[in-house]
Amino acid sequence: AILPARNNCVQIVGGLKWPKEDFEKLTQLLSQKLNTVAVETRDVDFSGAYVFGVFENGEKKFRAEMQLKGKTLEDMQESVTVEGEQWARAHGYKPGKEGFNEFHLGDGDRITRRLGLTNDNMGWGQALILQEVTNRPPARPSVPPRAGKAK
């Protein structure tokens, strides 16, 4: 979904099934074409995995991704990769003892609020919902059989 622009920012929210590359290309394109800040959030998964990123005028300023890595459920460990640490610090993120390995979506929400977007009444009623297009032809409307022929 693309939420309505607020305070010269646009927010793109999606699930983890949306390919990362496509999601980031869309965010970058909107940021560039609209000459604004675009925030991307990909999550909604039982694992807690996420991607949070910020583009400004088409340039990636910050990106954090958390994935679970391991071969078995017992081996699973969170792995956080981050780009743009300086930008995040300049926008209010204060790393803890583990540095950016502790970054989570709550921190992303705080950065989003500092940019002027809030979770209060985010504009879901006016959101642009995107749906994957398939190559299936459109369904043909069914035409009811005629009851009788006119003479």
Side-chain angles (χ1 to χ4, degrees):
I2 302 174
L3 300 176
R6 294 176 69 169
N7 297 325
N8 214 22
C9 295
V10 66
Q11 190 169 16
I12 298 93
V13 179
L16 294 174
K17 290 184 181 181
W18 194 341
K20 276 188 260 188
E21 297 78 23
D22 294 347
F23 196 77
E24 291 207 349
K25 285 179 186 176
L26 173 64
T27 306
Q28 191 260 340
L29 178 72
L30 289 173
S31 173
Q32 183 177 7
K33 293 286 183 184
L34 299 174
N35 197 30
T36 192
V37 173
V39 176
E40 65 177 349
T41 306
R42 269 179 87 238
D43 73 331
V44 189
D45 186 319
F46 72 92
S47 71
Y50 67 82
V51 174
F52 174 81
V54 180
F55 288 79
E56 186 175 346
N57 301 324
E59 181 184 345
K60 187 186 305 179
K61 296 294 185 175
F62 179 74
R63 182 180 188 279
E65 178 175 6
M66 192 281 281
Q67 298 176 324
L68 290 178
K69 293 188 176 181
K71 293 183 180 182
T72 66
L73 193 54
E74 293 83 32
D75 295 351
M76 293 292 176
Q77 293 199 357
E78 291 183 4
S79 172
V80 178
T81 55
V82 175
E83 300 172 47
E85 293 177 2
Q86 197 63 18
W87 185 93
R89 283 186 182 101
H91 287 83
Y93 179 66
K94 293 176 179 37
K97 292 178 187 175
E98 304 272 331
F100 278 82
N101 288 328
E102 295 177 349
F103 188 92
H104 55 83
L105 279 180
D107 298 311
D109 285 343
R110 283 187 281 287
I111 289 172
T112 300
R113 283 193 297 276
R114 288 181 68 103
L115 293 171
L117 294 169
T118 64
N119 292 336
D120 309 332
N121 193 13
M122 288 178 22
W124 284 102
Q126 301 166 352
L128 173 62
I129 306 296
L130 304 177
Q131 183 175 1
E132 184 177 7
V133 177
T134 62
N135 290 328
R136 288 183 287 171
R140 293 184 147 194
S142 61
V143 178
R146 297 176 88 173
K149 293 185 178 180
K151 292 189 180 183

